[in-house]
Amino acid sequence: MATTTGTKASATAPIPGHGYHYAVYSRECSVALATTQLDNADDGVELFWLPAGAVVVGAQLRVTDMDSSTGLLFDLGDAVDDDRLLVAFSGQAAGHTAALAAAGWGYLYTAATKIILSVNTAATTGVAGTAYVQVSFRIDPNYVLTT
């Protein structure tokens, strides 16, 4: 059996959690959503900025019941990929998810970037409500996903 050692597993690599480059940070907010913000697919709310160099390690979304029928789905992402962080989470019933999309895990934002909550599928019968969003990240100037 062969063993390969990645650059971050070498004896000289910094230990994650030691030093500011490996500390985990988060941005979070809550946003009230009116029914007019739930009635069109691709409607979006810009929530907050992630700094340049942010490497995503987690995301969470909690919503109140914002559809008295069955249609509403939310995505969480950015202007380039609206579901980079969370994909098609139901706003039909109150709920919570921390299921980070595969495209989002370890994603490096090379420039400061706005995080956007988008309507994937419009509400059938929209009800005003609240979304709570949190994105966890670390800053790693030497980040390379493949090592």
Side-chain angles (χ1 to χ4, degrees), residues 43-123:
D43 279 356
V45 177
E46 295 176 341
L47 301 172
F48 47 76
W49 289 86
L50 289 186
V55 178
V56 177
V57 296
Q60 297 187 55
L61 173 62
R62 180 170 63 95
V63 297
T64 59
D65 184 351
M66 289 186 258
D67 190 349
S68 62
S69 188
T70 60
L72 183 60
L73 296 174
F74 288 107
D75 292 335
L76 184 67
D78 52 62
V80 175
D81 185 349
D82 66 354
D83 62 0
R84 184 183 314 279
L85 304 176
L86 296 170
V87 180
F89 181 69
S90 177
Q92 185 275 324
H96 170 266
T97 185
L100 182 62
W105 186 89
Y107 185 80
L108 169 64
Y109 283 103
T110 57
T113 303
K114 284 184 204 174
I115 298 303
I116 303 168
L117 179 67
S118 303
V119 174
N120 172 305
T121 303

Side-chain angles (χ1 to χ4, degrees), residues 32-45 66 72 119 122-123 125-129:
L33 298 170
T35 57
T36 56
Q37 294 172 292
L38 306 172
D39 59 357
N40 292 304
D42 297 324
D43 279 356
V45 177
M66 289 186 258
L72 183 60
V119 174
T125 308
V127 176

